[in-house]
Amino acid sequence: MKHKLSKAASQLREQIDDSFPDRDRTSDGWIGDTRHAARKSDHNPDEQGWVRAIDIDRDLFKGSKPDIMGDLADQLRTLSKSKKDNRIAYIIFDGHICSKILNWKWRKYKGANKHVKHLHCSFKKEADNDGAFFQISMLGGE
Ligand SMILES: [Zn+2]
C-alpha cells in the first residue's frame, strides 16, 4: 500500500519550510516508526494509506534564537479556534495539547512524550485532499 500524507499536513509543512528555510529538521516526521505502530497514532497510515499527522522540529532557526515555536503553535491554535480553518484536529507542544475540547484552550498533555523537541499537529480526515493555504501571519498569511 502506498502511503500518502494529508494534503493539509503537507501544505502546512511546506509553508513552514518556506518561512523558515534554515530550520532544523532533526525531530521532523510524518509516518509512524515501529514505536508509533504499536499504539494508536495519526502517524500510522489508515486502511487507505493516509497519514494525518506531522512533527515539526522546535528549532525554526537551526541553533540560533529566538525560540518561537510556541508562537507558531498559538497562531495555529487561534486559526482553528476562529473556525476559519477546520482542518486541524489537535496540536501538542511543550507539555500542552489543544483541540476542540475546551474550545482550543491549551491544557496539560499527560502523554508519555511531552513534545518538547517538536510540535505535533494532527489533521482531520476531511482535510485529506484540502491543501489550501493556511492563513497564519508567521507563515506568510494574513
Ligand atoms: Zn507526532
Side-chain angles (χ1 to χ4, degrees):
M1 181 177 52
K2 198 169 168 282
H3 299 135
K4 48 211 169 179
L5 179 59
S6 152
K7 292 218 170 79
S10 57
Q11 173 63 29
L12 180 63
R13 192 175 55 189
E14 207 174 290
Q15 282 182 241
I16 295 172
D17 284 343
D18 287 348
S19 296
F20 304 97
D22 300 324
R23 71 186 188 84
D24 190 343
R25 290 167 175 82
T26 309
S27 298
D28 269 27
W30 65 284
I31 196 155
D33 51 22
T34 45
R35 203 159 39 91
H36 278 104
R39 54 193 157 79
K40 196 174 152 32
S41 162
D42 292 324
H43 289 296
N44 298 331
D46 74 358
E47 311 78 58
Q48 279 83 47
W50 284 104
V51 172
R52 298 191 180 92
I54 48 169
D55 293 328
I56 301 288
D57 194 289
R58 178 183 192 138
D59 185 3
L60 293 168
F61 293 102
K62 201 161 197 172
S64 54
K65 304 255 181 238
D67 177 20
I68 57 165
M69 186 54 102
D71 300 303
L72 181 56
D74 218 47
Q75 289 203 352
L76 289 166
R77 182 187 72 83
T78 306
L79 179 74
S80 302
K81 190 182 172 184
S82 78
K83 302 202 168 62
K84 283 182 208 146
D85 199 315
N86 294 309
R87 290 175 289 172
I88 293 175
Y90 59 90
I91 303 163
I92 308 170
F93 181 61
D94 219 2
H96 291 83
I97 180 169
C98 64
S99 69
K100 69 172 199 280
I101 299 166
L102 293 186
N103 194 26
W104 294 94
K105 194 173 173 289
W106 287 115
R107 59 190 196 274
K108 262 223 159 62
Y109 179 65
K110 299 192 180 80
N113 182 333
K114 297 275 174 256
H115 293 71
V116 172
K117 291 200 174 105
H118 68 265
L119 173 144
H120 171 101
C121 192
S122 275
F123 298 81
K124 295 177 189 165
K125 188 178 172 62
E126 304 91 87
D128 284 351
N129 282 301
D130 187 349
F133 195 86
F134 283 88
Q135 291 297 346
I136 288 174
S137 63
M138 280 174 79
L139 301 178
E142 289 158 10

